[in-house]
Amino acid sequence: AAIVAAAGALASAAASGIDAGGPSDGVLRPLARHRPTASLLKRRDRWNVTTATEESRTEWGIVLRRYQMVDIGLSRLLIDASSLEPGAVAEVSAEELVPKVAKLAANLKAATQDIDVSDDTLGSMEADTELAAVDKARLYETHKAQKDCAKALGDLGAAAQRTADTLLSHLRSRRQQQQQPQGPKQLRAQPQPSKPPGSPTPSGPPVMAASVAAQPAPADPVLADLASLRAAAAAFHARRAAFEEAISKPQAARSGAWGAALA
């Protein structure tokens, strides 16, 4: 019974294309024993319209799951980074944000790999002589629409990751500046009152006074990065929701949904 249960667990993991035995660090990973495999259906020697459609739906569902993890990761990153706002009780450090940014990068990379797997699967379907030409054309059109939307979503995710990397860099620079000792104030000679002609010249160095010239405070790049990251996360979330809605629609209603997802 234990062997049967273990075999069932492995089959379930293979069907989802996710390594169930890896570390629980929030990063979904494809199976590592060979080239990433989305589901057990790919072991078939021949395709028919039903198995091909279900396989395509399964693989794009895995891609969607990767991007859901990116969406969740961006939300968690912004929650922690909100402590960088003025007036926060405790400010988060760059080292505390690094693992969350690394998870974003890992899930985005995994999504790209899963898209490549779907390309390979489509190639095997196109080479199958048992699939009718009209079915191959329909599968290709659906695949292309899904891939275009997924790649646009991946571009938004990559932009958000670059913004997060810039935030980390500026946060480290700001922390280094805060830890450096402050130098002395800039001093300037205090203007002396005019003297009548013939009066003696006082000896000693000129009297100095602190410069009080008003200087505008420079803009904080960390806060600018935080605002940009919020905008990038919002754009990714909206596109991810449209991608998910398009995938969930019936086949007949998908063409218009893909157009909306790419808008």
Side-chain angles (χ1 to χ4, degrees), residues 39 41 44 47-61 121-122 125 131 135-136 138-140 142 146 247 249-251 254:
S39 83
L41 290 177
R44 299 179 61 93
W47 296 100
N48 59 50
V49 65
T50 301
T51 57
T53 300
E54 288 303 315
E55 177 63 18
S56 178
R57 181 185 293 271
T58 298
E59 292 187 352
W60 287 110
T121 304
L122 180 68
M125 294 175 183
L131 275 175
D135 293 330
K136 291 180 180 180
R138 180 183 58 79
L139 288 167
Y140 172 79
T142 302
Q146 290 170 327
I247 285 182
K249 286 184 177 295
Q251 185 67 37
R254 284 190 182 183

Side-chain angles (χ1 to χ4, degrees), residues 23-29 65-66 69-70 72-73 76 103-104 106-107:
S24 56
D25 57 358
V27 179
L28 298 177
R29 294 183 176 85
R65 179 58 178 162
R66 307 288 188 187
M69 294 297 293
V70 174
I72 293 171
R76 291 175 177 172
K103 287 180 183 179
L104 290 178
N107 280 313

Side-chain angles (χ1 to χ4, degrees), residues 107-122:
N107 280 313
L108 286 168
K109 181 179 179 180
T112 300
Q113 292 172 343
D114 289 328
I115 293 173
D116 292 340
V117 170
S118 187
D119 281 341
D120 291 345
T121 304
L122 180 68

Side-chain angles (χ1 to χ4, degrees), residues 15 39 42 80 86 205:
S39 83
K42 292 188 70 174
D80 289 348

Side-chain angles (χ1 to χ4, degrees), residues 121-205:
T121 304
L122 180 68
S124 72
M125 294 175 183
E126 291 178 330
D128 195 319
T129 57
E130 292 190 5
L131 275 175
V134 63
D135 293 330
K136 291 180 180 180
R138 180 183 58 79
L139 288 167
Y140 172 79
E141 291 173 0
T142 302
H143 175 86
K144 184 178 183 304
Q146 290 170 327
K147 182 176 179 179
D148 289 345
C149 188
K151 288 183 68 68
L153 188 54
D155 290 342
L156 289 176
Q161 181 199 333
R162 288 193 298 270
T163 303
D165 288 336
T166 303
L167 172 65
L168 292 179
S169 178
H170 285 153
L171 186 56
R172 291 190 184 100
S173 297
R174 189 171 77 173
R175 184 59 56 88
Q176 290 174 357
Q177 292 174 359
Q178 292 172 346
Q179 292 175 347
Q180 290 177 354
Q182 298 294 325
K185 294 182 178 180
Q186 295 292 329
L187 301 178
R188 60 179 174 83
Q190 186 178 25
Q192 300 295 318
S194 58
K195 301 177 295 181
S199 61
T201 301
S203 60

